[in-house]
Amino acid sequence: MPTDPYTPRTRPSTRKKNLTLSAKEYSKITGTIASVRRSRDPRDDIHEGSDISARYLREDQYKSQNEPSFIAETSFVRAPLNSRVSSVNIGHKFKGKEKQNESLDRVPLEIQEALILEDLLYVLMGIQGTYTTFHPDYSPEDDDPLQGIRFVVASSLDTSLRDLVERILPLGTYYTAISSFVELRSHLDFGLVNHALCAAIREMLKDYQTLLSQLEHAFNTSPDFSLQKLWFYVHPTIHTLSLIYQLVLELATADDSPNESDDSAISSDAEDEAKNEALGFDGAKLKAVLSEINKGDVDVTGGSGIAVKGGEVIAIIYERMQNMSGDPTANALYGTLLNSAGRPYVAMLRVWITTGRLDDPYEELLVKESKFIDRNILAVDYTDEYWERRYTLRDGSTLGSSKRQQAGVPLSRAVSGRLPGGACVPPLLEAWKHKILLAGKYLNVIRECGIEITHGQDRTLGDLSMDDEKLYKFLEDAYSHANRTLLQLLLRDQQLIPRLRSLKRYFFLSQSSFLTHFLDLSASELRKPSKMVSTAKLQNLLDLALNTDASGEDMMFREDVKVTLTDSGLYDFLLKVVSVSGVLGGEDGENEGGHGHEEHKKEKEKENKKDMSGNDALALDYAVKFPLSLVISRKTILRYQLLFRFLLHLKYVEQSLASMWIEQKTTPWRKLLPEHPDFERWRLRVCLLRSRMLSFVQQILAFTTFEVLEPNWRALEVKLEKVTTVDQLLRDHVDFLDTCLKECMLTSSKLLKVSGKYPTISVSHYDGALTYVQVHLDCVQFYASSENVSLLPLVVRLNSVKAAS
């Protein structure tokens, strides 16, 4: 098929138009060019023309075959604005390669300046020119694009121009690195904070590109435009872009793992190498295959497994701003980037502290949610997981302790020591993180109750920034509102104080007439082994006793009191807890852990041979609904049950000794037998021992009720009247119960072992009973003098019993 002959395009002579030189200057330059052409061989022009024709033909063919598709161009999806500038790797390699070997030695200084100015306009966009090219060591496949592209100028350039050119060249490196960062961090997985930061940097690059268009216009139209003027215009921009470049480098390298871990990950032992070689993969081939597999992937997580996002990005920007606070330009630039990057972070904070909803799709916020924990777990949970672990801080810190709980907390960065991602709390919010957590938790409880939250976001505030004082006043107001709303819900709407008073009445036996009535009604049932006791029958008897005795506020909550039977005895359970886990004290458990555990196992084996009676297994339970179950949780109810069983044990021993006194009033005990003086002396000793043990038990019971439970309850009521936060309410309630347990001698393994022998002491063994009383008194005296001074009143009481006898 015949084709038209190819006619090379004539190169337009734009030098005069572009430079707009004077007539004298133009004549001088054209004369110089003409003399150069006369000295050249005419065949060179022919060859040059043919070379030009071949080059244009190759370019046209390349463009027709390799022009990228619009749909396949990923930059349109990631960052549409970046697509306006062609990729560095494809479209601009041809600019400087054709004349790369031409020397500027014989070119006049004016022409050198004009040529290098045109090149610099390309370099400032990250595109290599004719005489300003990529560094020889640069490789697009191997070099990290976030480090930027380095440029070098031709060695033949005049030294008077080289100094200025080399000062301007870093702009191209800064621009390419920043553009690559914006394109990479616009990926969805890097989160909203990175997206906002990239948008702010992109706006700054728009100003830079506007400056370049103005410089290009001046280059094309102004005859006075020179390299000095270019330096004058771009000099402030160099400092600005260098600041952004340093920030980009720190963000890009923050998640780099140390070299040692990289080397250890790549290296393999001799056995693995032999196995790979047998499979056809030697070390080099295997690494090449792995690198090829990972080549096209976007590495979001970096070396630590968590991307640099969320609070970590804000922390890095803030630290750079603080470190360079003496530079006004850096302070203003980083302040602008901090406000822009912090906008989505502040927006998520506002939603959390005003509605109680956690809208954090990329895990950037300092608060995290454990969705597998819901409020239904409160009915069977003995660890307060819902309140303690449903919403927590990502850095693992708690309000009561500054130490980080390691469970679920990511490891710090190897280089900076900073927590990664959202676990890094921005320094500006470090002092507010607990209030932020609690404000959202309080409102979340209210939402779980089905109550509409009317506070909402204050629209009059507008956009809040990280360094705005209004933000922290807003945080304080939101926290106060959430705290006040939940306190009002618990104390007034849910009647928390009357609930606690009913617990005191039923579990602490403050008015124990119902218990006496209940024990009388259920005496025959409770004497049976615990496995044979009917819980339903006991519940009916308890309801009967409560209905007979209930009055006032107790009438409202008596239906919530339930009867339950435990699987182990009180002292066995407490000894196991103290000796093994040390939850309820553990002051002796650490020293006697192994020995105490062995003794417990032996005693347990004996106990298994003989079933526990209903009196030892009896306990009360209390049913509450959400949100009261936050305060009266299973964990606190367990403490109430331990105290109730201790008091019930004392009451049972007292009742047994009192019934024995009734028996001693009968004729067989009162009849005189002068012919048996030994028997009469034995009866007298038994009566004295019963009286002494009754006084002993009554003194312990009086001390427990009047000097432990009642004063601590009065102190709790005073605290509840002054309580200001829900967490303070929870702490005060738990502290009250822990103090009662400790002062009732239920947290010391030695005292528990002695107290557990109450039901095993027989009044018929006079010497053994006296020995038990003396041992118990000695243990209480030792414990009161060494660890718990609150037991001193009990020592006085027991000594009075000893002196009276």
Side-chain angles (χ1 to χ4, degrees):
M1 180 177 178
T3 57
D4 295 335
Y6 177 77
T7 303
R9 291 180 294 179
T10 58
R11 183 175 296 176
S13 57
T14 58
R15 290 295 183 193
K16 180 178 180 180
K17 179 180 178 182
N18 290 343
L19 297 176
T20 318
L21 303 174
S22 62
K24 183 177 179 180
E25 292 173 340
Y26 182 74
S27 300
K28 181 179 178 181
I29 293 172
T30 53
T32 304
I33 295 174
S35 63
V36 171
R37 285 182 176 177
R38 281 195 299 272
S39 64
R40 294 175 60 184
D41 192 342
R43 288 176 296 178
D44 293 340
D45 295 336
I46 298 174
H47 292 312
E48 182 182 0
S50 61
D51 291 341
I52 294 174
S53 301
R55 179 164 58 87
Y56 277 103
L57 180 61
R58 288 195 302 270
E59 290 184 12
D60 291 340
Q61 291 175 353
Y62 179 85
K63 291 179 180 178
S64 62
Q65 295 177 3
N66 299 287
E67 184 174 2
S69 170
F70 176 85
I71 299 177
E73 179 56 54
T74 57
S75 62
F76 285 97
V77 180
R78 294 183 182 175
L81 291 177
N82 290 347
S83 62
R84 298 182 181 179
V85 180
S86 300
S87 176
V88 175
N89 297 333
I90 297 176
H92 304 285
K93 288 185 177 180
F94 305 101
K95 167 85 175 108
K97 297 295 183 181
E98 301 301 327
K99 296 186 179 181
Q100 187 172 0
N101 297 324
E102 291 190 6
S103 176
L104 295 173
D105 293 339
R106 293 183 296 174
V107 179
L109 190 61
E110 295 84 357
I111 300 298
Q112 289 188 31
E113 184 175 7
L115 294 176
I116 209 65
L117 274 173
E118 184 180 11
D119 267 10
L120 284 176
L121 292 177
Y122 281 102
V123 170
L124 295 181
M125 290 294 293
I127 306 168
Q128 67 174 343
T130 304
Y131 304 100
T132 310
T133 59
F134 297 152
H135 194 277
D137 297 335
Y138 170 70
S139 172
E141 291 79 12
D142 299 332
D143 290 358
D144 185 5
L146 296 180
Q147 299 290 333
I149 302 174
R150 291 183 298 163
F151 294 89
V152 293
V153 68
S155 58
S156 58
L157 182 66
D158 189 270
T159 55
S160 61
L161 301 176
R162 176 181 294 277
D163 181 58
L164 276 180
V165 172
E166 290 179 347
R167 294 183 190 180
I168 298 173
L169 286 182
L171 265 179
T173 304
Y174 300 156
Y175 178 77
T176 53
I178 296 169
S179 300
S180 299
F181 175 83
V182 169
E183 182 177 356
L184 176 63
R185 294 301 168 104
S186 296
H187 195 276
L188 290 178
D189 293 337
F190 281 98
L192 300 177
V193 174
N194 272 313
H195 296 171
L197 175 64
C198 291
I201 295 177
R202 195 180 290 118
E203 287 296 322
M204 295 179 179
L205 290 183
K206 281 185 181 180
D207 297 337
Y208 173 74
Q209 292 167 355
T210 302
L211 173 63
L212 293 186
S213 65
Q214 293 172 350
L215 292 175
E216 184 181 7
H217 177 73
F219 172 73
N220 290 329
T221 59
S222 174
D224 300 329
F225 189 76
S226 63
L227 193 59
Q228 287 287 350
K229 285 192 174 182
L230 176 64
W231 168 251
F232 174 77
Y233 287 124
V234 302
H235 175 64
T237 308
I238 291 179
H239 182 49
T240 302
L241 285 191
S242 69
L243 293 173
I244 303 177
Y245 176 71
Q246 293 168 13
L247 174 63
V248 164
L249 279 184
E250 185 170 355
L251 290 171
T253 58
D255 57 348
D256 286 349
S257 58
N259 296 330
E260 291 79 3
S261 62
D262 293 341
D263 295 338
S264 62
I266 296 175
S267 62
S268 59
D269 56 16
E271 184 179 355
D272 290 338
E273 290 179 358
K275 187 185 297 182
N276 294 332
E277 187 175 357
L279 293 173
F281 292 110
D282 57 350
K285 289 182 180 179
L286 183 59
K287 293 175 186 177
V289 171
L290 293 177
S291 62
E292 190 68 26
I293 292 174
N294 297 326
K295 186 176 179 180
D297 297 338
V298 178
D299 187 7
V300 175
T301 59
S304 65
I306 300 179
V308 180
K309 60 183 179 180
E312 188 177 7
V313 174
I314 297 175
I316 290 175
I317 299 174
Y318 179 77
E319 288 173 4
R320 289 201 65 84
M321 185 174 70
Q322 292 298 107
N323 294 336
M324 305 189 69
S325 58
D327 185 351
T329 304
N331 201 29
L333 173 68
Y334 290 141
T336 302
L337 293 178
L338 178 67
N339 292 335
S340 300
R343 250 185 220 105
Y345 198 90
V346 172
M348 289 186 285
L349 275 183
R350 292 181 68 166
V351 172
W352 167 246
I353 64 177
T354 55
T355 65
R357 290 187 300 105
L358 189 59
D359 186 12
D360 184 17
Y362 302 106
E363 299 182 351
E364 300 175 273
L365 203 61
L366 71 164
V367 179
K368 72 174 180 179
E369 177 184 8
S370 299
K371 295 183 178 180
F372 64 91
I373 301 176
D374 57 15
R375 69 177 189 178
N376 296 326
I377 201 174
L378 287 169
V380 294
D381 176 38
Y382 283 89
T383 58
D384 285 349
E385 278 199 347
Y386 180 82
W387 183 255
E388 298 293 339
R389 293 178 53 194
R390 173 71 186 275
Y391 294 101
T392 55
L393 293 174
R394 292 188 186 275
D395 65 354
S397 62
T398 58
L399 189 60
S401 174
S402 59
K403 295 182 180 179
R404 294 171 182 167
Q405 304 296 329
Q406 294 300 321
V409 179
L411 297 176
S412 302
R413 300 287 187 193
V415 179
S416 63
R418 197 185 297 112
L419 287 175
C424 180
V425 180
L428 289 168
L429 297 176
E430 182 67 32
W432 297 84
K433 61 182 181 180
H434 295 296
K435 287 189 176 182
I436 292 171
L437 172 66
L438 294 177
K441 285 173 69 173
Y442 295 161
L443 293 180
N444 183 264
V445 171
I446 297 173
R447 286 179 59 250
E448 291 282 348
C449 296
I451 301 175
E452 183 180 356
I453 300 173
T454 58
H455 180 67
Q457 297 190 21
D458 191 352
R459 301 294 181 183
T460 60
L461 290 175
D463 291 336
L464 298 174
S465 58
M466 294 293 293
D467 59 350
D468 191 353
E469 289 294 332
K470 293 182 180 179
L471 171 63
Y472 305 100
K473 186 178 184 304
F474 175 72
L475 291 176
E476 183 66 36
D477 293 343
Y479 169 75
S480 301
H481 169 78
N483 182 63
R484 184 171 58 252
T485 305
L486 184 56
L487 267 180
Q488 183 179 358
L489 174 66
L490 292 173
L491 296 177
R492 191 185 68 180
D493 300 345
Q494 298 293 329
Q495 298 178 318
L496 176 61
I497 302 299
R499 285 275 184 179
L500 294 179
R501 287 174 182 162
S502 69
L503 279 169
K504 174 178 176 287
R505 180 176 188 270
Y506 295 131
F507 285 84
F508 292 169
L509 311 180
S510 60
Q511 298 174 3
S512 58
S513 56
F514 84 94
L515 181 66
T516 304
H517 190 192
F518 171 69
L519 292 178
D520 292 339
L521 293 174
S522 59
S524 59
E525 190 72 20
L526 292 176
R527 280 194 292 267
K528 298 178 182 178
S530 59
K531 295 180 180 179
M532 300 178 61
V533 175
S534 172
T535 307
K537 184 176 181 180
L538 290 179
Q539 183 64 49
N540 291 332
L541 294 176
L542 178 65
D543 292 338
L544 179 62
L546 291 176
N547 290 331
T548 304
D549 193 59
S551 62
E553 292 179 344
D554 302 327
M555 293 289 292
M556 299 185 294
F557 309 122
R558 68 180 186 275
E559 294 181 356
D560 295 329
V561 182
K562 308 295 181 183
V563 172
T564 182
L565 295 175
T566 59
D567 298 329
S568 60
L570 171 65
Y571 299 103
D572 291 335
F573 176 78
L574 288 173
L575 277 173
K576 182 179 179 181
V577 171
V578 171
S579 299
V580 178
S581 61
V583 173
L584 293 175
E587 54 270 6
D588 300 302
E590 294 181 359
N591 299 327
E592 302 178 356
H595 181 66
H597 188 56
E598 290 178 1
E599 284 190 2
H600 172 72
K601 289 176 67 176
K602 293 179 181 178
E603 292 177 1
K604 192 66 178 176
E605 290 175 1
K606 295 179 181 179
E607 186 69 23
N608 290 334
K609 298 177 182 178
K610 183 180 179 181
D611 289 337
M612 187 170 51
S613 67
N615 285 300
D616 295 331
L618 178 65
L620 295 183
D621 201 355
Y622 198 81
V624 290
K625 296 181 180 180
F626 189 83
L628 277 178
S629 53
L630 293 174
V631 182
I632 310 173
S633 63
R634 296 306 308 172
K635 195 173 183 178
T636 56
I637 288 177
L638 175 62
R639 290 173 165 85
Y640 278 109
Q641 288 177 335
L642 294 176
L643 290 167
F644 168 77
R645 294 180 68 187
F646 176 66
L647 293 173
L648 179 63
H649 180 210
L650 294 176
K651 281 283 186 181
Y652 174 71
V653 174
E654 181 188 21
Q655 190 180 45
S656 299
L657 293 173
S659 62
M660 186 179 179
W661 174 79
I662 296 176
E663 182 183 353
Q664 289 176 349
K665 289 291 185 183
T666 59
T667 303
W669 284 86
R670 306 288 293 179
K671 185 178 179 182
L672 296 177
L673 298 172
E675 63 276 11
H676 299 287
D678 294 337
F679 180 72
E680 287 199 355
R681 286 195 298 271
W682 176 84
R683 286 192 306 183
L684 180 61
R685 286 199 304 269
V686 168
C687 291
L688 291 175
L689 179 60
R690 178 203 57 78
S691 176
R692 186 174 179 181
M693 290 190 66
L694 181 61
S695 300
F696 183 80
V697 172
Q698 287 177 340
Q699 290 296 338
I700 295 177
L701 187 60
F703 167 78
T704 302
T705 54
F706 294 112
E707 298 194 33
V708 175
L709 298 179
E710 197 65 30
N712 285 314
W713 170 257
R714 297 301 177 193
L716 177 64
E717 284 187 325
V718 173
K719 291 180 180 179
L720 292 180
E721 292 176 357
K722 301 178 181 179
V723 71
T724 56
T725 66
V726 177
D727 268 73
Q728 182 182 349
L729 169 64
L730 297 177
R731 286 197 305 273
D732 290 342
H733 185 217
V734 174
D735 289 345
F736 157 71
L737 293 173
D738 288 342
T739 303
C740 291
L741 284 169
K742 183 177 182 180
E743 295 183 0
C744 288
M745 304 173 290
L746 299 180
T747 59
S748 171
S749 59
K750 287 183 176 140
L751 292 176
L752 286 173
K753 290 174 184 177
V754 176
S755 301
K757 296 179 180 179
Y758 283 149
T760 63
I761 300 298
S762 174
V763 293
S764 60
H765 297 83
Y766 183 79
D767 295 333
L770 289 180
T771 302
Y772 164 77
V773 172
Q774 186 61 44
V775 169
H776 190 281
L777 178 58
D778 292 341
C779 288
V780 172
Q781 286 179 337
F782 173 78
Y783 194 67
S785 61
S786 60
E787 298 182 24
N788 191 356
V789 295
S790 60
L791 294 180
L792 290 176
L794 178 60
V795 174
V796 175
R797 286 175 175 269
L798 296 181
N799 280 323
S800 66
V801 174
K802 181 180 179 182
S805 60

